[in-house]
Amino acid sequence: MSALRFAPDGRRLFAATGRGFRSISVATGTDEARSNPTIHANALAVAPDGRRVVHAGPTNATLAAPSTLVGWTVAADAPPAQAWLAPLDATCVGLAFFPDGERFAAVEYSWRPGGGEASRLAVFDSATGRKVLAWESPNDRTVGLDVSPTGEQLVTRAGSALLVWDPDGPGGDPRKVGNTSRKHFTDVAFHPSGRYLAATSNDATVKLYDTATWAVARTFTWDVGRLRSVAFSPDGALAAVGSDTGRIVVWDVDL
């Protein structure tokens, strides 16, 4: 499984797999819907209201191949229905919805003609899959993606830097926030209040950045291996990190 997401009402589990997308009933454990198995799914996002789902992946087992975006509509009283397909000319390496569910963002990665790598951030219409905005990234290897709870900031990872984007239009390069060490960032997550961004690095630390100043507000150290993922509970009271050893730490954030 490349990614798992619960529907907001908890009734369905959405899965991105090497054989495509699956929508699974939590009550029965049975599949309600599947995508075309020739479209692999390695990125997945669910709208905050649960009414739309988007996944992306290549049409063959080569992960560096161009991806196809697939959009689904979800109703409480019917299985999810495929709404559209949108082929890309690049590989999708990150997906996230805006708070209103009307748009989603994607990080696209490709090879430049003649050699070299390129990354860009794009915004799409959720109802149609139509691309409405795109920015070239100043960093070749830009991955991961999270959208602030207000929809006013997008954050991607680029090695030992975070890139903070304005989603309303190409207003120059994104703001670059460097790590306090030389370690690469491995995951990011906004606090539900939008006041902080948690970021894990390729070490034992998770840092909370103040999203008004982008200074480090708190640092937590957990001796469970190199941290790979981070998340907040919906009420923001708890945070969790996962490590490369398979161990998970959950703690009271106390902000």
Side-chain angles (χ1 to χ4, degrees):
M1 300 274 178
S2 299
L4 289 171
R5 300 287 188 273
F6 275 100
D9 63 7
R11 295 172 58 186
R12 292 184 173 101
L13 182 64
F14 303 112
T17 79
R19 295 181 178 271
F21 166 78
R22 297 171 60 190
S23 174
I24 304 163
S25 168
V26 173
T28 65
T30 58
D31 284 337
E32 294 182 319
R34 283 177 177 264
S35 68
N36 184 332
T38 63
I39 300 176
H40 298 251
N42 53 24
L44 174 67
V46 181
D49 62 6
R51 296 174 62 186
R52 298 188 187 279
V53 176
V54 174
H55 65 86
T59 54
N60 58 52
T62 304
L63 296 181
S67 297
T68 295
L69 293 172
V70 186
W72 296 73
T73 56
V74 183
D77 56 353
Q82 186 174 302
W84 49 260
L85 293 172
L88 301 177
D89 61 359
T91 303
C92 179
V93 292
L95 284 172
F97 273 91
F98 285 83
D100 61 7
E102 299 300 317
R103 297 179 299 162
F104 67 91
V107 177
E108 302 174 358
Y109 172 83
S110 61
W111 291 93
R112 299 182 189 275
E117 303 162 344
S119 298
R120 60 181 176 265
L121 181 68
V123 175
F124 297 80
D125 181 285
S126 301
T128 64
R130 181 177 63 88
K131 186 180 294 187
V132 294
L133 286 172
W135 308 263
E136 292 295 324
S137 174
N139 290 68
D140 291 342
R141 293 198 171 214
T142 299
V143 297
L145 178 63
D146 200 16
V147 179
S148 69
T150 62
E152 296 176 351
Q153 294 171 320
L154 302 176
V155 173
T156 58
R157 295 179 281 115
S160 60
L162 301 176
L163 303 181
V164 184
W165 305 76
D166 176 0
D168 291 328
D173 286 343
R175 178 169 184 166
K176 188 173 183 179
V177 180
N179 203 343
T180 55
S181 71
R182 299 180 64 182
K183 301 292 185 181
H184 284 198
F185 287 108
T186 55
D187 197 22
V188 296
F190 277 99
H191 187 267
S193 69
R195 292 178 54 201
Y196 301 99
L197 179 88
T200 52
S201 299
N202 196 26
D203 57 18
T205 66
V206 54
K207 301 178 180 70
L208 294 188
Y209 288 84
D210 184 317
T211 57
T213 64
W214 292 101
V216 175
R218 296 278 297 276
T219 298
F220 300 92
T221 302
W222 304 112
D223 189 19
V224 293
R226 296 181 181 181
L227 302 184
R228 290 289 184 262
S229 56
V230 60
F232 287 104
S233 61
D235 63 2
L238 299 175
V241 290
S243 74
D244 62 354
T245 65
R247 300 174 68 185
I248 297 171
V249 178
V250 180
W251 75 99
D252 185 341
V253 182
D254 191 25
L255 296 175

